[in-house]
Amino acid sequence: MTVTLFFIRFLLVLFIVLSLHCQANSSAPLPMTLCYADHTQAPLFVGAKHEIPLVEPTAQLAALAKLDNALESVTFKFVKMPWSQCITAIKQGRVDAFIAGFSPQKSRYAVFPVTDKGVPIAKFAFARMSQCLIGSRRFHTKWQSREVLQSKAFSLAVANGLFVGEAASEEAFFIEHTFTQQQAIERVSEGRADAALVLCQIENNKLDLSVYHRQKLAPVYPPLNTVTAYLAFSNEFYVKHQNEAVVIWQQLLKQNIPLTFAKQMQNSPHLEMSSYGAKE
């Protein structure tokens, strides 16, 4: 009788311990690995399309940290790698999410916030980023007096892999590729190219580009092109955790992350910018 009672008590204690363990695991936040680009790694290609400009990652991570703090059910883990490797990791499900511009090609291996017809939902965007031409006072004068249908009248220094967009295509400019954005700016300041591209506006907030004044360069407004960046998930993560993905998109809107990102960019040093480059 004593042995039987002891055994029953043992099973009861074991059941309670296991229940508490399962409850603790179920209440633990879901870890999500987010890949961001190592902008010190030069892209291995030129002429990337449908990408978002790469900014110094401190601003991006600060905005994502605010989003992370607002989420109780998910916790972020950040991994830095060359962008081509990040794309591969997303395809293989080795990382769960990334920040990227939408394109039909990407939607084959990543899930963006879209409507039933596959149209991106702008209110769930991470940020809208705009690029401006930057050049000397002489370039500003020539640009303002250009003919509308004039093509290849100006040389544009572009870092390999930098988002160019249709407005700055090779049909409109004579494009000279450089290895880095810094080299592109130097080429313009030395008079060896008419202009370069710089990130100049987040949402409706203009960035302080006075750092270029020392080189006697200034941006041309309005921006030449604008692209929208989204937080997208790997197919594998979305299939397993669709509810969490939707909550994250909703929090992007609720926490006004685009405004946070713009403020962080305003406070960040404008270091070398490349691209979240990948042709696909």
Side-chain angles (χ1 to χ4, degrees):
M1 187 70 177
T2 304
V3 175
T4 303
L5 182 61
F6 174 80
F7 184 69
I8 293 174
R9 287 177 176 175
F10 173 77
L11 290 177
L12 181 61
V13 170
L14 181 62
F15 174 76
I16 293 174
V17 171
L18 290 175
S19 297
L20 291 174
H21 179 72
C22 292
Q23 183 177 359
N25 285 341
S26 63
S27 61
L30 173 70
M32 188 190 79
T33 304
L34 191 147
C35 175
Y36 68 100
D38 181 358
H39 71 294
T40 62
Q41 297 290 323
L44 300 179
F45 56 87
V46 298
K49 303 281 187 181
H50 308 296
E51 298 300 330
I52 65 175
L54 172 64
V55 298
E56 200 278 327
T58 303
Q60 176 186 324
L61 295 181
L64 288 170
K66 178 182 178 181
L67 178 62
D68 188 18
N69 292 334
L71 295 165
E72 296 182 357
S73 59
V74 181
T75 183
F76 292 174
K77 176 184 177 183
F78 301 108
V79 178
K80 181 171 70 172
M81 60 180 67
W83 190 243
S84 59
Q85 293 183 21
C86 186
I87 293 291
T88 300
I90 285 285
K91 291 178 177 179
Q92 297 175 348
R94 291 187 287 109
V95 298
D96 303 315
F98 65 161
I99 303 291
F102 173 84
S103 71
Q105 293 88 345
K106 288 197 195 74
S107 63
R108 297 172 185 169
Y109 58 83
V111 181
F112 291 78
V114 296
T115 65
D116 293 339
K117 295 183 178 180
V119 179
I121 303 175
K123 69 178 182 180
F124 292 141
F126 179 76
R128 261 186 322 118
M129 291 179 275
S130 300
Q131 286 178 311
C132 292
L133 293 169
I134 189 168
S136 64
R137 181 178 299 179
R138 181 183 178 187
F139 168 73
H140 281 237
T141 301
K142 292 170 63 178
W143 180 255
Q144 297 300 333
S145 61
R146 75 192 186 283
E147 296 180 12
V148 177
L149 299 178
Q150 197 173 13
S151 63
K152 291 189 180 296
F154 301 97
S155 58
L156 184 66
V158 177
N160 288 352
L162 185 74
F163 173 80
V164 174
E166 299 302 324
S169 67
E170 292 186 359
E171 296 178 1
F173 294 88
F174 179 75
I175 295 180
E176 303 174 2
H177 290 284
T178 64
F179 285 108
T180 66
Q181 177 69 358
Q182 182 179 352
Q183 290 175 347
I185 295 296
E186 289 175 353
R187 184 168 292 188
V188 176
S189 65
E190 294 169 359
R192 294 185 290 126
D194 292 315
L197 286 169
V198 293
L199 187 67
C200 60
Q201 188 168 303
I202 307 292
E203 301 296 321
N204 296 319
N205 304 283
K206 291 183 179 180
L207 299 179
D208 179 8
L209 300 178
S210 58
V211 66
Y212 295 114
H213 290 175
R214 73 186 73 168
Q215 295 161 295
K216 298 183 179 180
L217 303 177
V220 177
Y221 286 95
L224 189 67
N225 58 55
T226 299
V227 65
T228 304
Y230 295 89
L231 197 163
F233 303 97
S234 69
N235 289 333
E236 183 173 330
F237 180 88
Y238 190 79
V239 168
K240 294 179 180 178
H241 309 290
Q242 181 175 349
N243 291 338
E244 286 80 1
V246 172
V247 167
I248 292 172
W249 285 329
Q250 291 173 339
Q251 282 295 325
L252 273 170
L253 174 63
K254 185 177 180 180
Q255 298 297 321
N256 202 355
I257 295 302
L259 179 59
T260 300
F261 180 56
K263 290 180 177 179
Q264 290 294 331
M265 274 300 300
Q266 200 65 269
N267 297 328
S268 296
H270 295 286
L271 302 179
E272 181 176 332
M273 301 179 195
S274 179
S275 156
Y276 279 76
K279 288 189 176 180
E280 50 189 340

